[in-house]
């Protein structure tokens, strides 16, 4: 009731908005049925509104490159340089012999920081909760106890998901002790994210969201802001992370899982510490100091120095009689008066050797492992024995060493101090590096490239949830601001805020490097799945409450089933739909809807008929229900109300026709009168489909795409499916590793596919039904973004496969040579080279949102709605792994194969663009950008319009459309989030929100003109004061990315300026 009252009041506020919405949408409405062309194809009238593409020439300069110096280390060049020969290095197997002169530290002593740590996975072999109860709570409890025993002790912690759960369960006294330990520098919170996220498959929306969640928690509960980053376990590193940490005001970071050949090379050249710079940064504003660990692992045997046999003797958890020992067969010995001299000498030798790999005389020695320090005895064993060694070493001036426990920032601070710089600056003589650290191999040819695809069902679910969460955040913040303005905030359903908060945390948890990666045990995967569906539920309940709709849209029966589309039942009274557009750009889209009757017409809010195509939704290759696709213009970040009426007037909806080619297969076809189906027993000849801007030709026998043509460009290609097997030797593919048994072999299904061709005025599509994959390629006959790329989807089901991976390959005549491009976290593009000297599996890369190949004439971009592994194994090729089923463990601790495959729908958009001003020199640069059209295509794919049918008996007041933005945003701007901040009471919203804006970098040489694609850029200027329709911007404070630090002073001006590629956060008050 409260909600209804509130909505009523809101309607008054937005009633004036309605007029402008109608003005905006009028042009797409009330169009007559389009005529057919002479050849029988449909012709939609061209866009009635003028299309505009107003990109200011200055905005094109950024992608053309900077004048700045090039970095010392450019990872693409490092890859070309290295032999990757994997020679035996002796005790440091993947390295080399390290020698030193004993007098090297005489003038400047070696300063050693031993950093105790415990790596806590928020779910892997056990669920998050089970780990918490079995281990993590004990680790943190004994931490408080044992750290207080000696002020010289130190500890670092990174996973706030665990820490906050523990915090909820401890006494005020213990909390005070924790705050003291943080305050006096004994305990350091490193990175401070909700989890230590995977960096290959995660999207930057979620990476930032979990970082904000962690940082906000820390600020509020402990009053601390993290300074240093710690990421020892993600399976390869993206250059997006150093950017996010830098913009959160962190000054140093540690990484560990880097290809062993790169570690060796950097160790030999003393380049393991560097300033990590973005490839697109024209100066040094994105530089962050990075320390790369040199050896095989972050455990104790691989962190004190090059010889694991010796280092293991200094892991005092492995003292004889304990549960674990040293596989190198020499056990640790407790440190006594009698042996301390000999033991300390042995360890110092390792420290000195390790130190030779770095430029400074300060040494970082991590001391920990997975779920360490869970018992008080372990604390004693490590801390007492080490302290005896330190005391001995520090008392021998002739050794020129000073050893102590330290936090990560203790180490960085000592290094900065010796270099004579303030934190954040570049130490003199240290190199600058740009690029990333994919793909990772830990030994031999064991490339961790399988996890880019493992469990694609959940990778897809993750992306859907991100869009829902973002949509709910935006709607919540706007609705709250409108309510506040109307003085109705006291009656606002504030409790919804705790749902949002819980959705953020569950989505954050899923970014963990064993979650979205698909590398957890089956039972843990189910736990994540249930939490994910809860995210959907919570985000959804917010959306429903705010849009006054009831849960009647697509539903998921289980955490592991694909969503089922709800059939809307029509009767005498009209039905209403609310459609939410989560994009900050107005969009002209087809709104899909299943109805129980073909006799339907669609009206806009004020009764104007809308064009809608009636086609068939196929529950199988041959079974159907009526499927309605409504052409509607949706306001940016807005809601549109549509009305459905039963109608027997035959001209109200646009009919489509279907041709079904059975390829000689004996199946029964069940059809319905509304959509005529012609059935052919044989395969057709090759055929083409056309829309306003695209032409696509298909193989008659396979139904797969063969020619793609866009405005002014045509490219031939072959679409094929391939199968990779795994090796017969002892090391086989698993959840992490991709170890194929050679090149892929063509997929050969038992039966030829059933091919179905649907042709209609608003869209046409071709579907092929194979045994293990159903493909659909759709052309939208719609002006603008939707109509300029091919909608491609693959419903994959390989549950009857054994040790096989299914790949889709496009082979084109684009002369791409050995170069291709993949994105990092949807944030930036990283050029890649196919390396002949590396095994096939080394040439796969993560593809969170897109990959492309190009020559001087054209670029073909595969946009994806879920992270998958991708490569280009030959010139003109683009290949993506769709799913993998592997029967065995791959020896990285999981102890399981990948056998819980689901029916998974992988969705893509294929965009072929003409390049107008490309040249080889430009293309050889280690940086690249998508076009604006490509950015928008990716956003359309990753943030679909949300269709919310209103309950059968809508309670009045009548629903109205709602446009939240007063003006179209420049098309290179993206509102990443509008996140209402927590009040003092966790479960309530505060009066402030974080507005997170991203200005995209783009390449102008691919611009699509006169294609109904509307876009203006503004040289990075944006007037925020008047952006939100009907709302005033009460205050505007630029802050660091995670709101920990104010940047500059809040000014009265509400105009902001953003450089290309930059993400900026503003603390705002709307009302
Ligand atoms: Zn881990």
């Amino acid at each position: 009731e409260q909600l209804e009252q509130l909505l009523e009041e809101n309607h008054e506020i937005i009633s004036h908005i309605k007029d402008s919405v109608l003005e905006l949408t009028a042009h797409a409405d009330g169009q007559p049925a389009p005529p057919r062309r002479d050849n029988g194809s449909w012709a939609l009238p061209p866009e009635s509104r003028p299309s505009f593409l107003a990109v200011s020439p200055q905005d094109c300069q950024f992608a053309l490159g900077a004048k700045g110096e090039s970095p010392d280390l450019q990872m693409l060049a490092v890859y070309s340089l290295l032999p990757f020969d994997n020679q035996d290095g002796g005790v440091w197997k993947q390295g080399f012999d390290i020698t030193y002169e004993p007098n090297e530290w005489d003038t400047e002593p070696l300063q050693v920081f031993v950093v105790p740590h415990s790596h806590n996975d928020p779910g892997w072999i056990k669920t998050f909760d089970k780990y918490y109860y079995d281990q993590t709570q004990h680790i943190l409890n004994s931490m408080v106890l044992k750290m207080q025993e000696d002020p010289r002790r130190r500890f670092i912690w990174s996973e706030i998901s665990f820490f906050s759960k523990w915090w909820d369960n401890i006494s005020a006294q213990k909390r005070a002790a924790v705050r003291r330990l943080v305050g006096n520098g004994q305990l350091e919170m490193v990175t401070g994210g909700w989890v230590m996220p995977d960096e290959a498959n995660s999207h930057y929306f979620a990476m930032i969201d979990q970082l904000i969640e962690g940082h906000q928690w820390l600020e509020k509960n402990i009053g601390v802001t993290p300074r240093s980053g710690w990421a020892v376990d993600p399976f390869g590193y993206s250059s997006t992370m150093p950017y996010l940490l830098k913009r959160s005001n962190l000054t140093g970071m540690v990484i560990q899982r880097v290809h062993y050949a790169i570690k060796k090379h950097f160790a030999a050249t003393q380049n393991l510490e560097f300033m990590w710079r973005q490839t697109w940064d024209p100066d040094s504003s994105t530089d962050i100091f990075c320390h790369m660990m040199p050896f095989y692992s972050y455990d104790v045997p691989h962190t004190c120095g090059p010889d694991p046999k010796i280092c293991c003797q200094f892991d005092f958890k492995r003292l004889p009689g304990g549960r674990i020992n040293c596989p190198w067969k020499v056990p640790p010995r407790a440190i006594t008066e009698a042996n301390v001299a000999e033991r300390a000498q042995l360890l110092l030798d390792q420290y000195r050797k390790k130190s030779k790999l770095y430029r400074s005389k300060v040494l970082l020695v991590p001391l920990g492992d997975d779920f360490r320090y869970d018992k008080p005895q372990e604390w004693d064993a490590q801390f007492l024995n080490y302290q005896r060694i330190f005391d001995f070493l520090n008392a021998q001036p002739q050794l020129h060493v000073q050893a102590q426990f330290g936090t990560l920032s203790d180490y960085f601070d000592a290094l900065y101090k010796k270099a004579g710089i303030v934190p954040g600056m570049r130490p003199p003589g240290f190199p600058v590096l740009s690029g990333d650290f994919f793909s990772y191999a830990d030994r031999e040819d064991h490339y961790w490239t399988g996890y880019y695809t493992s469990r694609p069902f959940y990778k897809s679910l993750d992306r859907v949830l991100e869009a829902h969460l973002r949509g709910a955040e935006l709607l919540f913040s706007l609705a709250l601001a409108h309510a506040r303005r109307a003085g109705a905030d006291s009656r606002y359903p504030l409790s919804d805020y705790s749902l949002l908060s819980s959705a953020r945390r569950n989505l954050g948890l899923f970014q963990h490097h064993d979650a979205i990666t698909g590398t957890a045990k089956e039972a843990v995967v189910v736990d994540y799945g249930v939490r994910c569906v809860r995210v959907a539920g919570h985000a959804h309940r917010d959306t429903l409450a705010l849009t006054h709709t009831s849960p009647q849209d697509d539903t998921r029966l289980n955490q592991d089933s694909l969503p089922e589309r709800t059939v809307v039942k029509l009767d005498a009274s009209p039905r209403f739909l609310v459609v939410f557009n989560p994009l900050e750009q107005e969009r002209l889209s087809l709104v899909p809807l299943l109805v129980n009757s073909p006799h339907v017409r669609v009206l806009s809010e004020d009764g104007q008929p809308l064009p809608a195509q009636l086609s068939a939704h196929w529950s199988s290759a041959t079974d159907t229900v009526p499927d309605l696709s409504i052409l509607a213009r949706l306001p940016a970040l807005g809601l549109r109300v549509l009305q459905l009426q039963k109608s027997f007037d035959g001209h109200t909806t646009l009919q489509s026709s279907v041709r079904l080619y059975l390829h000689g297969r004996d199946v029964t076809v069940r059809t319905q009168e509304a959509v005529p189906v012609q059935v052919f027993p044989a395969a057709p000849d090759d055929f083409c489909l056309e829309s306003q801007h695209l032409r696509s030709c298909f193989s008659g026998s396979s139904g797969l795409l063969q020619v793609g043509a866009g405005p002014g460009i045509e490219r031939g290609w072959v679409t094929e499916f391939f199968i990779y097997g795994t090796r017969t030797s002892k090391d086989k593919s698993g959840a992490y590793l991709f170890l194929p048994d050679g090149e892929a072999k063509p997929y050969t299904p038992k039966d030829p596919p059933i091919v179905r061709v649907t042709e209609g005025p608003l869209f046409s599509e071709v579907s092929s039904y194979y045994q293990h994959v159903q493909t659909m390629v759709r052309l939208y006959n719609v002006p603008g973004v939707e109509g300029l790329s091919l909608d491609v989807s693959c419903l994959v089901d390989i549950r009857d496969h054994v040790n096989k991976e299914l790949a889709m390959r496009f082979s084109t005549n684009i002369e791409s040579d050995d170069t291709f491009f993949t994105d990092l976290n949807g944030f930036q593009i990283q050029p890649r080279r196919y390396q002949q000297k590396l095994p096939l599996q080394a040439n796969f890369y993560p593809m969170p949102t897109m990959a492309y190949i190009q020559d001087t004439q054209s670029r073909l971009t595969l946009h994806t709605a879920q992270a998958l592994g991708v490569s280009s194994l030959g010139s003109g090729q683009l290949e993506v792994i769709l799913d993998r089923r592997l029967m065995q463990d791959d020896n990285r601790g999981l102890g399981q194969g990948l056998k819980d495959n689901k029916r998974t729908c992988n969705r893509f958009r294929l965009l072929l663009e003409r390049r107008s001003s490309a040249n080889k020199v430009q293309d050889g640069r280690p940086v690249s950008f998508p076009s604006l059209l490509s950015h928008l295509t990716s956003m359309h794919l990753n943030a679909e319009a949300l269709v919310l049918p209103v309950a059968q008996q809508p309670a009045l007041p009548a629903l109205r459309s709602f446009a939240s933005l007063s003006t179209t945003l420049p098309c290179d701007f993206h509102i990443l989030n509008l996140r209402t901040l927590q009040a003092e009471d966790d479960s309530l919203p505060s009066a402030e929100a974080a507005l997170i804006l991203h200005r995209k970098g783009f390449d102008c040489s691919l611009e699509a003109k006169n294609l109904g694609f509307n876009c203006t850029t503004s040289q990075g200027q944006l007037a925020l004061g008047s952006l939100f329709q009907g709302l005033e911007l009460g205050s505007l404070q630029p802050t660091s990315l995670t709101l920990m630090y104010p940047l500059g002073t809040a000014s009265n001006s509400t105009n902001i300026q953003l450089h290309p590629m930059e993400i900026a956060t503003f603390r705002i008050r709307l009302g």
Side-chain angles (χ1 to χ4, degrees):
E1 272 170 45
Q2 276 188 357
L3 182 62
E4 280 159 20
Q5 234 172 338
L6 167 72
L7 274 160
E8 209 155 13
E9 282 161 50
N10 271 357
H11 291 145
E12 269 173 54
I13 307 162
I14 61 171
S15 62
H16 70 279
I17 300 171
K18 201 192 93 183
D19 299 337
S20 45
V21 175
L22 290 176
E23 219 171 68
L24 276 173
T25 51
H27 300 281
D29 302 348
Q31 287 172 356
R36 280 197 177 243
R37 295 203 191 96
D38 291 344
N39 64 4
S41 73
W42 294 95
L44 263 194
E47 167 74 306
S48 56
R49 310 191 318 157
S51 77
F52 51 91
L53 184 69
V55 177
S56 84
Q58 289 94 322
D59 288 341
C60 295
Q61 289 305 310
F62 178 74
L64 297 177
K67 336 90 225 166
E69 30 141 18
S70 54
D72 309 292
L73 306 165
Q74 205 278 104
M75 286 313 297
L76 206 53
V78 170
Y79 257 81
S80 300
L81 183 86
L82 295 187
F84 293 97
D85 52 1
N86 195 20
Q87 286 184 13
D88 193 329
V91 292
W92 177 18
K93 217 166 162 355
Q94 296 171 326
F96 46 83
D97 258 349
I98 307 172
T99 55
Y100 61 87
E101 300 298 326
N103 62 4
E104 283 187 48
W105 292 272
D106 285 4
T107 50
E108 194 187 340
L110 181 65
Q111 200 178 357
V112 182
F113 288 94
V114 172
V115 178
H117 68 99
S118 179
H119 179 70
N120 282 237
D121 291 308
W124 181 39
I125 304 301
K126 301 177 185 176
T127 61
F128 173 76
D129 286 340
K130 189 101 171 70
Y131 272 136
Y132 175 78
Y133 289 114
D134 290 357
Q135 278 132 304
T136 308
Q137 62 165 335
H138 305 302
I139 296 169
L140 291 168
N141 283 331
S142 39
M143 184 269 293
V144 181
L145 206 67
K146 290 292 166 184
M147 294 281 276
Q148 294 181 93
E149 287 180 7
D150 186 338
R152 293 173 296 181
R153 294 181 177 180
R154 298 284 184 275
F155 198 60
I156 61 170
W157 190 265
S158 66
E159 297 82 9
I160 304 306
S161 46
F162 275 129
F163 206 87
S164 72
K165 187 179 174 76
W166 174 65
W167 193 258
D168 290 342
N169 289 305
I170 60 173
S171 65
Q173 195 187 8
K174 210 179 248 184
R175 289 179 180 181
V178 171
R179 289 195 190 102
R180 271 199 307 278
L181 289 170
V182 170
N184 71 13
Q186 280 187 266
L187 172 62
E188 182 182 15
M189 308 305 282
V190 284
T191 312
W194 200 246
V195 297
M196 184 186 288
D198 170 40
E199 301 187 16
N201 304 290
S202 53
H203 191 273
Y204 73 116
F205 167 83
M207 290 169 88
I208 295 173
D209 207 57
Q210 64 85 31
L211 195 59
I212 293 179
E213 192 62 24
H215 283 187
Q216 293 281 291
W217 188 92
L218 282 173
E219 184 177 53
K220 186 171 174 190
N221 293 284
I222 307 195
V224 67
T225 54
R227 299 174 51 211
S228 304
W230 177 258
V232 289
D233 204 26
F235 325 140
Y237 297 92
S238 160
S239 47
T240 304
M241 198 47 132
Y243 175 72
L244 301 183
L245 297 182
K246 173 76 178 184
R247 290 291 173 259
S248 305
N249 273 22
L250 275 70
T251 48
M253 60 186 290
V254 167
I255 59 174
Q256 139 63 19
R257 288 197 185 270
V258 171
H259 193 299
Y260 60 87
I262 294 171
K263 288 187 169 203
K264 177 178 176 175
H265 174 64
F266 282 4
T269 51
Q270 283 194 330
N271 285 329
L272 288 164
E273 288 184 326
F274 48 83
M275 299 304 284
W276 198 346
R277 181 176 297 176
Q278 298 301 306
T279 53
W280 44 265
D281 182 2
D283 45 56
S284 57
S285 83
T286 60
D287 288 12
I288 181 168
F289 188 76
C290 181
H291 170 102
M292 183 188 293
M293 289 165 63
F295 308 122
Y296 175 73
S297 161
Y298 54 82
D299 63 11
V300 184
H302 297 94
T303 45
C304 93
D307 192 345
K309 184 176 175 175
I310 292 172
C311 290
C312 196
Q313 299 171 43
F314 296 89
D315 183 356
F316 298 101
K317 189 185 175 160
R318 305 189 201 226
L319 282 167
R323 297 224 333 252
I324 53 167
N325 54 21
C326 282
W328 294 270
K329 307 232 161 62
V330 186
R333 276 182 275 158
I335 306 300
T336 62
E337 202 77 28
N339 70 13
V340 66
E342 177 266 331
R343 294 276 93 189
Q345 244 338 311
L346 189 65
L347 184 57
L348 177 61
D349 178 58
Q350 290 297 309
Y351 287 168
R352 286 176 165 179
K353 283 175 175 159
K354 183 175 180 181
S355 167
K356 290 291 287 178
L357 308 179
Y358 292 90
R359 287 171 195 251
S360 88
K361 293 215 160 36
V362 187
L363 185 66
L364 173 65
V365 180
L367 181 72
D369 206 337
D370 293 358
F371 293 98
R372 279 301 188 91
Y373 302 98
D374 62 339
K375 292 194 175 61
Q377 299 89 310
E378 185 182 353
W379 286 84
D380 292 341
Q382 303 288 34
F383 280 88
L384 293 174
N385 284 302
Y386 266 92
Q387 192 61 55
R388 282 177 205 132
I389 295 174
F390 297 160
D391 290 345
F392 176 84
L393 288 174
N394 297 342
Q396 314 286 316
Q398 77 283 6
L399 293 179
H400 301 283
V401 61
Q402 213 244 313
Q404 61 204 293
F405 295 116
T407 63
L408 186 53
S409 290
D410 286 340
Y411 165 74
F412 282 130
D413 284 342
L415 188 150
Y416 300 144
K417 195 173 167 200
K418 284 216 169 167
I421 55 162
V422 295
M425 276 180 61
R426 175 179 173 183
F430 280 60
V432 171
L433 175 143
S434 77
D436 69 341
F437 298 102
F438 291 119
S439 288
Y440 170 57
D442 55 350
R443 55 184 189 245
E444 299 161 55
D445 59 353
H446 293 187
Y447 282 85
W448 296 42
T449 50
Y451 84 94
Y452 302 155
T453 297
S454 294
R455 291 173 167 137
F457 178 90
Y458 293 97
K459 287 176 162 70
S460 158
L461 179 58
D462 167 76
R463 199 61 61 77
V464 172
L465 299 182
E466 285 176 30
H468 282 210
L469 177 59
R470 178 177 166 275
E473 296 271 14
L474 287 156
L475 278 177
F476 182 89
S477 299
L478 291 170
L480 184 60
H482 277 287
R484 196 174 288 134
R485 191 170 172 78
D489 48 332
S490 58
R491 279 177 288 141
Y492 195 78
L494 297 170
S495 58
D496 287 352
Y497 187 74
S498 57
L499 298 179
L500 262 189
S501 180
S502 142
R504 290 168 182 168
R505 290 176 173 195
N506 281 322
L507 184 75
L509 195 69
F510 197 65
Q511 307 310 309
H512 163 51
H513 58 262
D514 292 305
I516 191 171
T517 50
T519 57
K521 276 217 196 277
E522 285 178 19
V524 180
V525 170
V526 172
D527 181 59
Y528 285 133
V530 169
R531 287 169 182 275
C532 281
V533 168
R534 225 179 275 158
V535 174
H538 289 169
H540 216 142
R541 265 166 67 187
D542 273 345
T543 311
L544 293 170
L546 295 165
T547 55
H548 197 58
T549 54
S550 63
Q552 292 220 351
D553 61 326
D554 303 354
T555 50
R556 283 180 195 260
L557 288 175
N558 296 302
Q559 56 88 16
D560 62 348
S561 55
L562 288 170
E564 297 281 336
R565 291 174 60 192
T566 308
V567 179
V568 173
K569 296 195 179 64
L570 298 166
D571 56 27
S573 54
R575 292 292 309 264
F576 292 89
L577 296 178
V578 175
V579 186
F580 172 53
N581 172 20
L583 296 184
E584 57 279 82
Q585 312 287 336
E586 179 191 293
R587 80 207 273 179
L588 185 60
S589 283
L590 289 187
V591 175
L593 194 72
L594 296 186
V595 283
N596 69 336
S597 159
H599 305 294
V600 57
R601 63 179 188 156
V602 186
L603 303 176
S604 69
E605 198 178 350
D606 59 344
Q608 296 296 310
L610 294 178
Q613 174 174 326
L614 187 67
S615 43
H617 172 69
W618 298 76
S619 46
S620 72
T622 51
D623 274 326
T624 67
V625 286
D627 189 348
L628 203 59
S629 297
I630 307 155
L631 182 62
R633 191 177 295 282
L634 306 173
L637 281 181
L639 303 166
R640 173 120 201 243
V641 177
L642 306 177
Q643 205 185 124
L644 296 177
Q645 287 182 352
K646 208 152 189 175
S647 163
F648 288 91
D649 172 0
H651 298 291
T652 49
T653 52
L654 308 168
Q655 303 291 312
S656 57
S657 65
V658 177
R659 304 195 300 277
L660 197 56
Y661 300 94
L662 298 182
H663 262 118
R665 283 165 66 176
D666 183 21
V667 288
T668 317
V669 180
R670 272 188 291 273
T671 62
Q672 20 125 354
E673 30 120 23
V675 180
V677 177
Q678 290 175 277
V679 180
F680 302 89
D685 295 333
D686 295 354
F687 61 95
C688 299
L689 294 178
E690 264 183 69
S691 65
Q692 279 180 45
H693 296 301
L694 302 180
R695 193 169 70 91
S696 298
C697 301
F698 299 82
S699 152
S701 55
S702 72
L704 300 177
L705 195 63
Q706 281 188 330
V707 172
I713 180 88
E714 175 167 317
R715 287 293 190 173
W717 69 58
V718 186
T719 312
E720 292 162 293
F721 290 98
F722 283 88
I723 297 279
Y724 286 99
T726 188
R727 293 180 183 176
T728 47
S729 63
K730 76 176 197 334
D731 293 307
K732 296 187 176 65
S733 299
Y736 305 90
L737 305 185
F738 180 31
L739 290 169
D741 59 348
E743 289 182 9
K745 294 168 190 67
Y747 167 63
T748 47
K750 219 167 60 234
D751 298 306
I754 292 176
V755 174
R756 195 181 66 229
V757 183
T758 303
E759 282 191 83
L762 298 181
F763 74 85
S764 298
E765 68 177 24
V766 178
S767 300
S768 303
Y769 284 73
Y770 290 92
Q771 190 187 351
H772 299 98
V773 57
Q774 300 166 19
T775 66
M776 187 275 288
V777 177
R778 184 183 279 199
L779 290 80
Y780 292 101
N781 196 22
V782 170
V785 177
E786 299 282 18
L788 292 168
S789 60
L790 291 174
D791 185 341
V792 177
S793 66
C794 297
L795 183 63
V796 180
D797 186 351
I798 57 165
R799 283 175 294 184
D800 63 348
H801 275 172
V802 173
N803 276 328
K804 289 196 167 59
E805 313 199 20
L806 180 66
M808 175 167 64
R809 183 187 294 170
F810 302 113
S811 304
T812 74
N813 57 3
I814 293 172
E815 293 165 8
S816 59
D817 300 328
D818 60 354
T819 303
F820 59 111
F821 303 82
T822 63
D823 77 301
L824 291 166
N825 318 100
F827 173 65
Q828 57 184 326
I829 298 295
Q830 177 64 51
R832 309 289 184 190
R833 289 253 154 76
Y834 179 83
Q835 297 288 352
Q836 207 75 51
K837 65 190 169 195
L838 293 177
L840 184 144
Q841 68 270 22
N843 287 292
F844 276 79
Y845 289 95
M847 174 180 65
T849 64
M850 68 175 78
Y852 53 83
I853 51 173
Q854 65 184 20
D855 56 21
T856 50
Q857 310 293 309
S858 59
R859 177 186 288 182
L860 178 69
T861 308
L862 180 67
H863 294 96
T864 176
Q866 58 286 309
L868 295 169
V870 72
S871 189
S872 172
L873 299 175
S875 184
Q877 283 187 16
L878 211 47
E879 171 173 324
V880 54
I881 310 281
L882 297 174
D883 197 4
R884 44 206 318 264
R885 184 168 167 84
L886 301 158
M887 314 314 282
Q888 61 284 313
D889 182 47
D890 50 4
N891 297 316
R892 293 306 184 278
L894 176 60
Q896 272 185 355
L898 269 186
K899 295 188 284 191
D900 57 353
N901 304 65
K902 330 265 180 237
R903 284 176 80 230
T904 300
C905 187
N906 291 318
R907 300 186 306 117
F908 308 97
R909 283 288 181 116
L910 261 178
L911 175 65
L912 181 63
E913 292 172 288
R914 195 158 70 104
R915 306 184 74 206
S916 55
S917 58
N919 66 66
K920 290 228 162 188
V921 178
Q922 275 289 331
D923 286 356
R925 293 167 57 232
V927 58
S928 184
F929 301 92
S931 67
L932 282 168
L933 175 60
S934 179
H935 279 304
L936 292 179
T937 302
S938 182
M939 301 226 293
H940 275 236
L941 176 61
N942 280 285
E944 295 195 304
L946 202 57
V947 186
L948 306 155
V950 179
Q952 212 121 7
Q953 300 293 325
L956 292 171
L959 296 159
R960 296 287 163 81
S961 291
F962 168 68
S964 64
L965 300 183
S966 59
T967 167
T968 301
L969 222 58
C971 56
D972 53 346
F973 270 89
H974 174 47
I975 300 179
L976 199 57
N977 210 341
L978 179 60
R979 192 185 202 266
T980 295
L981 300 174
Q982 217 173 51
E984 201 45 51
D985 174 348
D986 294 6
S987 61
L988 294 176
S990 76
E992 291 184 322
L995 174 64
I996 309 175
L997 294 173
H998 177 203
R999 184 176 172 208
K1000 305 200 165 185
F1002 58 91
D1003 184 337
C1004 289
S1005 70
L1006 300 120
E1007 292 318 335
K1009 292 193 175 64
N1010 307 319
L1011 301 174
F1013 161 54
N1014 294 339
C1015 176
T1016 309
T1017 67
S1018 61
Q1019 294 181 51
Q1021 320 251 3
L1022 189 61
L1024 288 178
S1026 54
L1027 185 62
F1028 297 101
Q1029 181 112 252
L1031 293 174
E1032 261 166 43
L1033 195 59
S1035 69
L1036 174 74
Q1037 170 66 59
T1039 71
S1040 59
L1041 184 65
T1042 58
L1043 298 120
M1044 303 294 254
Y1045 302 87
L1047 302 176
T1049 47
S1051 76
N1052 287 331
S1053 169
T1054 53
N1055 296 334
I1056 60 136
Q1057 163 106 41
L1058 224 57
H1059 290 295
M1061 289 305 290
E1062 295 285 357
I1063 303 172
T1065 302
F1066 302 89
R1067 194 184 277 271
I1068 66 169
R1069 254 168 219 269
L1070 278 176

